[in-house]
Amino acid sequence: MKKIINPDKSQWNNLTKRPAIEMQKLDETVKSIFSEIQLFGDAAIRKFTKQFDKVEIDQIKVQDEIVHLSTIKVPQNLKDAIIIAKSNIEKFHSSQITEKQIIETTKGVICWRENRAIEKVGIYIPGGSAPLFSTVLMLGVPARLAGCKEIILCTPPDKNGEINPAILYAASVAGIKTIFCVGGIQAIGAMAFGTETISKVDKIFGPGNQYVTAAKQMAQNYGVAIDMPAGPSEVLVIADKFCNPEFVAADLLSQAEHGADSQVILLSNDEQIIDETLKFLEIQLNQLPRKKIATVALKNSKAILLNNLFDCIIFSNLYAPEHLILATKNPHDLVSLITNAGSVFLGNYSCESAGDYASGTNHTLPTNGNARNYSGVSMDSFVKKITFQEISADGIRNIGSAIETMAQAEELFAHKNAVTIRLKSLK
Amino acid sequence: MKKIINPDKSQWNNLTKRPAIEMQKLDETVKSIFSEIQLFGDAAIRKFTKQFDKVEIDQIKVQDEIVHLSTIKVPQNLKDAIIIAKSNIEKFHSSQITEKQIIETTKGVICWRENRAIEKVGIYIPGGSAPLFSTVLMLGVPARLAGCKEIILCTPPDKNGEINPAILYAASVAGIKTIFCVGGIQAIGAMAFGTETISKVDKIFGPGNQYVTAAKQMAQNYGVAIDMPAGPSEVLVIADKFCNPEFVAADLLSQAEHGADSQVILLSNDEQIIDETLKFLEIQLNQLPRKKIATVALKNSKAILLNNLFDCIIFSNLYAPEHLILATKNPHDLVSLITNAGSVFLGNYSCESAGDYASGTNHTLPTNGNARNYSGVSMDSFVKKITFQEISADGIRNIGSAIETMAQAEELFAHKNAVTIRLKSLK
């Protein structure tokens, strides 16, 4: 981790820049897989699964018995933990459901909004060594709460053609009944176009490698919405002398272990805190199984001494971190100053891991500076807010002439006539 | 308008398909203009304005005196109408501001969300014969209400290098102080990258032709968000025998006059209503200045007889119209059945023009079937919803072991350690 002492403000913009992401040219690969899926459906899914996952799948849809078996295979303490997490996610996301508010903007002109669930949503869960069952909860629970009619989950098979039972168990807990054993570009293509077995969906959620990300991006050209643009995960910690440097080091590492491209930034108004944190970082790093990954991530990372906490917040807003930890004595004093962040953790006991798993907030958050213009996943991500209006005879009398005047000035005479004809009928 | 009698349900999917949009290959054009803007800034803006708008602009930023002059140039009745519209838009959008809700998901674990305005937003208003000042209000008013710090507006100059005073007046009414005389791809590029005169923004809003649409799409690759994917405007009217066919005809035409590619659909359970509407359509069409445009749009349009209102709603949900008018006796009976629509108009006096201009709802809505997975522009479009959490010592005691178990099962040991280290310190 690079230590930087009191950088001049002219350097801040550069210091907040992420390393350029090498976007491989994947468009052609994605296009050709997409068009095979459009042409050959399930047969293409089987072909690409054999090609990329090196396994022949018997059934694309995971059979109910296999899902049921997961209840036996997952150890009890993990099942208990998943239930606690699910319950907290449910509580917090339920609170985001908005009530209908009816507004009379002018006498006789009544407007309101109603939420409608996106009918068909697809959740992608990556494969790899570790099963990301926590993401199943983060996407499945709000989808269910929102009332999405069809929730499907795609995840790649392991080398034995199987799916980790923890993913299957989390899916049942979240109420997801339809799980497909398919990953990568072919999974995104299947959800975008539909096959004999897999339904076409309206919106695709979930993380993935660069192939999945490129495929999700491309799916948008075919009328499918996606949760948000993807990028490497990141944390920014603001720590003052009241923090616990051992805790701060642990939080920085829990971000750094995500991937070699993870971003970790420490800001402090106290050089001693920086030095102590870096010392603990070294100690804890050596005990980590994912030490190699974390070490690479830390090479791109910075510990920066700034004049005061106010400057730390200004820097953080400029960086717009996915996760922002305020390890300070009075974190509430800083809250109103935050303009750009995905999710914020206040005080010494609010570690990022809590939000990643079990506190109730969503862990699908904007990265790569997108916290400037995107929100994390919430109930809003699973609904459309439809506007309604009901105008009475009095209502159109009250606003009709304003509409006529404006329509005429925009040279849209049929728009004007739709009002004129109604006003005439009321005379 | 093509009349279709009781089509078999097997045909519905086909009937709800929009005509394929011929997307010209504009990527290369957009890329080359974008890279000139990145290299040469304002000089590139001037160059492309001369090339595309055939005019040399003196000042890229519209001078304050010119904005002030618009107050004199715009006729009083139009100014009054704009004020009425602004007030209604403000009332309805204010009601969408959500209060902070603090949730204790587990004892000692407190979560909430706070809204933060997107700091810098750019509004694009197309040029052409008619000045779309109504869109200035629809985007400027909520941006202001949300508290966006910097709101800029780009609109192309006419052949005299000027901007229609109604646009300038609407901008002042909406509180937009920074207006640039630049349109097309170069305007979107300027807002995406910034120039000496024009600030880089975080999110770009507003309609435009295929060049503007392609440029907005491309801007997303550079970290800029956009309001929504664009497509031709559309209305679907569901009418029963209690409707006024003269009104329905006027509503269909007010959509058809938008553009030759506009989409107009009439559904009814009563053939006589369809026939009468088509008769009035013919009469009203002949009186329209934009008859030529509307005639082309009507060629792609359909009037469909279905068995009952329930079937009409099912068809409408499948089509997912931008605007849905319920010209029926009991429109409220149908509301809960609607799953996909941008904005809904209830009863005989709620004409689409009202929502386009002055009732208070937003007229920037999802088209091309995107009402399945996108909402129209609302206050949500101008804010990020940031999650916060504060966990006490008791809180981490309560959920700590669940986090440890889950992190371990996902093989993220630094995540686990961030909790373990805290639990240890509390022993």
Side-chain angles (χ1 to χ4, degrees):
Chain A
M1 219 169 163
K2 204 175 161 192
K3 185 173 146 187
I4 301 166
I5 304 296
N6 280 323
D8 191 78
K9 285 208 176 170
S10 63
Q11 295 173 45
W12 285 20
N13 243 323
N14 256 328
L15 286 170
T16 59
K17 276 201 183 126
R18 276 80 174 167
I21 304 166
E22 281 281 335
M23 279 294 280
Q24 262 190 274
K25 288 277 167 216
L26 297 171
D27 280 9
E28 288 314 311
T29 314
V30 174
K31 265 185 202 160
S32 92
I33 294 176
F34 274 15
S35 69
E36 282 206 44
I37 290 170
Q38 285 177 282
L39 284 170
F40 306 114
D42 284 348
I45 298 299
R46 289 177 193 283
K47 175 189 146 183
F48 291 118
T49 303
K50 193 173 167 190
Q51 184 176 331
F52 297 122
D53 301 306
K54 313 287 177 211
V55 61
E56 282 197 49
I57 38 173
D58 182 31
Q59 305 268 9
I60 295 175
K61 184 173 183 302
V62 179
Q63 300 300 294
D64 289 349
E65 309 86 76
I66 297 176
V67 178
H68 290 319
L69 262 179
S70 73
T71 314
I72 300 161
K73 286 187 181 165
V74 175
Q76 191 58 45
N77 67 336
L78 181 53
K79 285 196 281 190
D80 294 344
I82 285 175
I83 297 290
I84 289 172
K86 185 247 181 182
S87 156
N88 285 347
I89 295 166
E90 203 162 55
K91 276 182 213 159
F92 184 54
H93 287 73
S94 300
S95 78
Q96 297 165 8
I97 299 171
T98 48
E99 292 286 308
K100 186 166 94 177
Q101 268 206 37
I102 298 175
I103 304 296
E104 189 165 27
T105 56
T106 292
K107 197 150 174 47
V109 179
I110 288 169
C111 307
W112 70 97
R113 292 200 296 175
E114 295 190 23
N115 294 341
R116 291 292 184 275
I118 295 176
E119 290 186 79
K120 298 172 186 179
V121 303
I123 296 173
Y124 184 79
I125 301 294
S129 56
L132 292 186
F133 55 83
S134 60
T135 306
V136 178
L137 298 179
M138 292 293 174
L139 300 174
V141 170
R144 192 75 196 287
L145 275 178
C148 300
K149 268 190 204 153
E150 206 173 326
I151 308 168
I152 68 173
L153 188 150
C154 288
T155 189
D158 65 16
K159 58 182 187 296
N160 303 315
E162 287 172 5
I163 294 173
N164 189 296
I167 288 182
L168 300 177
Y169 180 74
S172 345
V173 167
I176 303 171
K177 296 196 178 73
T178 317
I179 302 167
F180 299 105
C181 187
V182 50
I185 298 174
Q186 60 272 26
I188 306 301
M191 293 194 276
F193 304 111
T195 70
E196 300 91 313
T197 311
I198 304 176
S199 320
K200 173 179 166 52
V201 302
D202 300 317
K203 191 166 182 176
I204 298 174
F205 293 81
N209 60 18
Q210 57 179 334
Y211 296 97
V212 170
T213 300
K216 279 173 67 185
Q217 210 70 31
M218 180 82 73
Q220 294 186 94
N221 298 339
Y222 300 91
V224 181
I226 65 168
D227 46 1
M228 70 184 76
S233 193
E234 51 199 33
V235 70
L236 186 149
V237 182
I238 297 178
D240 67 9
K241 66 177 173 179
F242 299 98
C243 81
N244 181 325
E246 206 177 348
F247 295 179
V248 173
D251 292 338
L252 295 173
L253 282 174
S254 74
Q255 191 58 49
E257 77 170 343
H258 265 301
D261 55 2
S262 287
Q263 286 283 302
V264 173
I265 291 183
L266 168 64
L267 304 180
S268 183
N269 57 352
D270 187 313
E271 193 172 354
Q272 205 183 327
I273 287 295
I274 290 181
D275 292 336
E276 282 176 36
T277 304
L278 294 179
K279 193 187 69 193
F280 283 115
L281 201 72
E282 213 53 50
I283 300 169
Q284 294 177 19
L285 178 64
N286 282 315
Q287 295 156 1
L288 280 188
R290 294 168 76 98
K291 179 181 169 179
K292 221 167 145 182
I293 292 171
T295 306
V296 182
L298 289 172
K299 268 189 191 140
N300 287 318
S301 298
K302 302 171 192 99
I304 307 176
L305 179 72
L306 295 173
N307 282 324
N308 50 53
L309 291 180
F310 187 67
D311 274 3
C312 292
I313 286 283
I314 295 176
F315 187 100
S316 171
N317 286 334
L318 210 56
Y319 181 75
E322 181 190 11
H323 305 96
L324 168 59
I325 299 178
L326 302 177
T328 60
K329 192 181 181 195
N330 298 309
H332 284 279
D333 294 352
L334 303 175
V335 164
S336 69
L337 304 172
I338 297 166
T339 55
N340 300 321
S343 194
V344 184
F345 300 75
L346 276 70
N348 285 337
Y349 295 106
S350 305
C351 51
E352 194 204 302
S353 307
D356 285 341
Y357 289 110
S359 62
T361 58
N362 208 291
H363 77 197
T364 307
L365 295 166
T367 52
N368 202 27
N370 286 319
R372 273 195 308 271
N373 39 21
Y374 289 89
S375 308
V377 162
S378 73
M379 288 298 289
D380 298 336
S381 314
F382 296 91
V383 300
K384 295 98 55 176
K385 300 188 180 176
I386 303 180
T387 51
F388 288 80
Q389 62 200 280
E390 185 168 28
I391 302 176
S392 66
D394 266 356
I396 200 72
R397 276 193 199 100
N398 288 333
I399 62 168
S401 113
I403 301 168
E404 290 180 303
T405 305
M406 291 174 82
Q408 173 154 347
E410 287 194 356
E411 296 176 20
L412 293 172
F413 293 96
H415 282 68
K416 182 186 177 188
N417 188 51
V419 174
T420 310
I421 219 165
R422 283 169 165 93
L423 290 178
K424 265 190 197 158
S425 80
L426 290 171
K427 268 182 189 153
Chain B
M1 220 171 163
K2 205 176 159 191
K3 186 173 145 186
I4 300 165
I5 304 294
N6 279 324
D8 190 78
K9 283 208 176 171
S10 64
Q11 294 173 43
W12 285 21
N13 243 323
N14 256 327
L15 286 170
T16 57
K17 276 199 183 125
R18 276 78 173 168
I21 304 167
E22 281 281 334
M23 278 295 279
Q24 261 189 275
K25 289 275 167 215
L26 296 171
D27 280 10
E28 288 314 310
T29 314
V30 173
K31 265 185 202 162
S32 92
I33 294 177
F34 273 16
S35 70
E36 282 206 44
I37 290 170
Q38 285 178 281
L39 284 170
F40 305 115
D42 284 347
I45 299 300
R46 290 177 191 283
K47 174 189 147 184
F48 291 118
T49 303
K50 194 173 166 191
Q51 185 175 331
F52 297 121
D53 302 305
K54 314 287 178 209
V55 61
E56 284 197 46
I57 39 173
D58 183 32
Q59 305 268 9
I60 295 175
K61 184 172 182 305
V62 179
Q63 300 301 294
D64 288 349
E65 309 87 77
I66 296 176
V67 178
H68 290 318
L69 261 180
S70 72
T71 316
I72 299 160
K73 286 187 181 166
V74 174
Q76 192 57 44
N77 67 336
L78 182 53
K79 285 196 282 191
D80 294 345
I82 286 174
I83 297 291
I84 290 172
K86 185 248 181 181
S87 155
N88 285 347
I89 295 165
E90 202 162 55
K91 275 182 213 159
F92 184 54
H93 287 74
S94 300
S95 77
Q96 297 164 6
I97 300 171
T98 47
E99 292 286 308
K100 184 166 95 177
Q101 268 206 37
I102 298 175
I103 304 296
E104 190 164 27
T105 56
T106 292
K107 198 152 173 45
V109 180
I110 288 168
C111 306
W112 70 96
R113 293 200 296 176
E114 294 191 23
N115 294 341
R116 291 291 185 275
I118 294 176
E119 290 185 79
K120 298 173 186 178
V121 301
I123 296 173
Y124 184 78
I125 301 294
S129 57
L132 292 186
F133 55 84
S134 60
T135 306
V136 178
L137 298 178
M138 292 293 173
L139 300 173
V141 170
R144 193 76 195 288
L145 275 178
C148 300
K149 266 189 205 155
E150 206 172 325
I151 307 169
I152 68 173
L153 187 151
C154 288
T155 190
D158 65 17
K159 58 183 190 294
N160 303 316
E162 288 173 4
I163 294 172
N164 189 295
I167 288 181
L168 300 177
Y169 180 75
S172 347
V173 167
I176 303 170
K177 297 198 177 71
T178 317
I179 302 167
F180 300 104
C181 188
V182 49
I185 298 173
Q186 60 272 26
I188 306 302
M191 294 194 276
F193 304 110
T195 70
E196 301 92 313
T197 311
I198 303 175
S199 319
K200 174 179 166 51
V201 302
D202 300 317
K203 190 167 183 177
I204 299 174
F205 293 81
N209 60 18
Q210 56 180 335
Y211 297 96
V212 170
T213 300
K216 279 173 68 185
Q217 211 70 33
M218 180 81 74
Q220 293 186 94
N221 298 339
Y222 299 91
V224 180
I226 65 169
D227 45 2
M228 69 184 78
S233 194
E234 52 199 32
V235 71
L236 185 149
V237 182
I238 296 178
D240 67 9
K241 66 176 173 180
F242 300 98
C243 81
N244 181 325
E246 207 178 347
F247 295 179
V248 173
D251 291 339
L252 295 172
L253 282 173
S254 74
Q255 191 57 48
E257 77 170 344
H258 265 301
D261 55 2
S262 287
Q263 285 282 302
V264 172
I265 291 183
L266 170 62
L267 304 180
S268 183
N269 57 351
D270 187 314
E271 195 172 353
Q272 204 183 326
I273 287 294
I274 290 182
D275 292 336
E276 281 176 37
T277 304
L278 293 180
K279 194 187 70 191
F280 282 115
L281 201 73
E282 213 52 52
I283 298 169
Q284 293 175 21
L285 177 64
N286 282 315
Q287 294 155 3
L288 281 188
R290 293 167 75 98
K291 179 181 170 181
K292 220 168 145 183
I293 291 170
T295 306
V296 182
L298 289 173
K299 269 190 191 140
N300 286 319
S301 298
K302 300 170 193 99
I304 306 177
L305 180 71
L306 295 173
N307 282 323
N308 49 53
L309 291 179
F310 187 65
D311 274 3
C312 293
I313 287 283
I314 295 176
F315 187 101
S316 171
N317 286 335
L318 210 56
Y319 181 76
E322 181 191 11
H323 304 96
L324 169 60
I325 299 178
L326 302 177
T328 60
K329 192 180 180 194
N330 298 309
H332 283 280
D333 294 352
L334 304 176
V335 163
S336 69
L337 304 172
I338 298 167
T339 55
N340 299 321
S343 194
V344 185
F345 301 74
L346 277 70
N348 286 336
Y349 295 107
S350 305
C351 51
E352 194 203 303
S353 307
D356 285 341
Y357 288 110
S359 62
T361 59
N362 208 292
H363 77 198
T364 307
L365 295 166
T367 53
N368 202 25
N370 285 320
R372 273 195 311 272
N373 39 22
Y374 288 89
S375 309
V377 162
S378 72
M379 289 298 288
D380 298 336
S381 314
F382 296 92
V383 301
K384 294 99 54 178
K385 300 187 180 179
I386 304 179
T387 50
F388 288 81
Q389 63 200 278
E390 185 167 28
I391 302 176
S392 66
D394 266 355
I396 200 72
R397 276 193 199 102
N398 288 333
I399 61 167
S401 114
I403 301 169
E404 290 179 304
T405 306
M406 290 175 81
Q408 173 154 348
E410 288 194 354
E411 296 175 20
L412 293 172
F413 294 95
H415 282 67
K416 182 185 178 186
N417 189 50
V419 174
T420 310
I421 218 164
R422 283 168 166 94
L423 290 178
K424 265 190 197 158
S425 81
L426 290 171
K427 269 181 188 156

